[in-house]
Amino acid sequence: MKSTTALVLLLLAAPIAISAADQASQPRDKCLSTSACWPSTGEFSDFAELLLPGSLLLPGSSSFKAASVLKNKRLTGTPEFTPGAIIKATTAADVQASVKFAAERELETSIKSTGHCYSGNCMRGGSLHMDLTSMSSISVNTSSMLMTVGPGANFEEMYTAADAHGVLVVGGMCPTVGPVGFSLGGGHGPLVRSLGLGADNMHSVTLVTADGSLLTASSTANSDLFWALRGGGGGSFGVVVSMEIRLHPAPDQLVALSCAWPMVDDGERVGEAIVEEWDSIMQQLPDEWMTFTVVQKRPLGPKVPGFKRSMDGVLVVEGLYNGAWTKEMLDSAEGILGLGGDNQLKCDFANFTTFKEWHSQAWFATEGPIKYRTYMASSFGAAGFDSAAHARLLVDTVVALPGNAVNMMFGVQLGGKVARPDEDTGVSAAFRGAALMQENDSDWNFAQADASQIEWARSVGDAVAALGGFGGAYMNEPDPGKGRGEYEELFWGRDVFERLQGVKSEWDKDSLFDCDQCVYAN
């Protein structure tokens, strides 16, 4: 067996032939733009009369090209991810008309809220594509403690609105991610350990179903559908046009932490002991703490004073405490402050008066890897996972990378409120029971490196999944190469998936809404 170091170097150098189409896919028996059944120009003209002017975009126009862009540059412009026509919806009525048009003609469909579908399952080649980015309204009601948002809204805007009203809303790290795909897939972010996942904070959803009906799903109305939407993923059960999200009182102060250590220092592998001890400390932190870890070849985002040429690899821990600076908070962080001893490069606290103030300056809350061509994989580590093997794999992997690599190993702390939901949802047991989500991101600039970078991400992802105590996968950040017969167990587990299939069969028996790595009818 090759060592991890040798394997990584081999994969990043080898010209392995993998096409953009080599992804998990479901059978496609709907009408595509390359088929004779595709609507004629006249039929599209008649359909456009049902929409607001300029809503229908056809190939060849600059508007069509702009609306075909996804955040992952690896996908944009390829035949596999270029739709046959785009509806730039601005109202629920636009969506209803589009759904009915597609259903009557059995057209392949795809749905995009903001375009942060890294694996590409929100846009299918040759499909009738519903672009919801213009439906971006946000309203805050502090009496009901609910935020109502459109699918095109993003967390940058939502955090600003929440701050203006002195409340917190659960969302993700990247400011341009939207609430729909995020929450329907579970939704991890900087407040989930204290306030629950995105799915747990959904109060109601308004959506267009396969027959073109506009309805609301909640815990008291269409509750089976609501259960499935809370963790069953986007693109399967309908087109979400509005969502109510629970709000929470904001503390007067929040505390942030930023620490860093080298993985190798003057030839000594100090990182294994540091990562292993961090894995233990992380699992003992109170729910108010939420921490993220990044292991990279060299510091690419945060400033890490003292990182030298003699060092190889760096571990950065970024933390947010949802509460004020207190002795209890400081005591809870004591283990972090002493971690790594003389090898610690920095460990700094900072106070913030609002969540948005903190989020706006956090380096990993910026656009991040979506500036690149991207491929990722993820696995959940249950409490008590094999931290020694985990630490060894992280250090081996990052040390083996070439000096200019921007690939990363990204860790998301879980547990806390994630493991104690107030209501039953479609989120997997692996997600609920995890102490950590370990993700590996391959990020690069040029198409020539596609094959080797994709294989790196797949191989490292499989290596993480094989560690003791690891299993499952986060459907919003998966390896898109996992196909039918594999992703169902990874994303949900058998029991949850079979229940999701039952809901799918009830609400979309003809599978109008059909996407890669999504729930399909039984």
Side-chain angles (χ1 to χ4, degrees), residues 2-3 5 41 52-53 68-69 80 87 102 106 124 164 171 229 237 265 313 359 365 389 434 437 480 496 501 508 519:
K2 296 182 178 72
S3 69
T5 300
T41 302
L52 292 177
S68 300
V69 172
E80 294 83 6
I87 297 94
E106 297 186 343
R124 302 187 86 168
L229 290 167
F237 305 100
D265 191 359
H359 187 264
M437 186 193 83
V496 173
Q501 279 192 301
D508 185 21
V519 176

Side-chain angles (χ1 to χ4, degrees), residues 122-163:
C122 67
M123 187 178 285
R124 302 187 86 168
S127 67
L128 181 69
H129 180 68
M130 292 170 238
D131 182 318
L132 312 180
T133 55
S134 296
M135 300 175 68
S136 56
S137 62
I138 299 173
S139 65
V140 174
N141 187 326
T142 53
S143 296
S144 63
M145 289 297 281
L146 294 173
M147 177 181 285
T148 304
V149 297
N154 64 48
F155 289 126
E156 172 77 14
E157 299 158 347
M158 291 168 62
Y159 292 153
T160 299
D163 252 24

Side-chain angles (χ1 to χ4, degrees), residues 440-454:
N440 57 288
D441 292 3
S442 190
D443 305 307
W444 67 101
N445 288 312
F446 304 108
Q448 300 95 301
D450 282 4
S452 57
Q453 289 283 6
I454 290 170

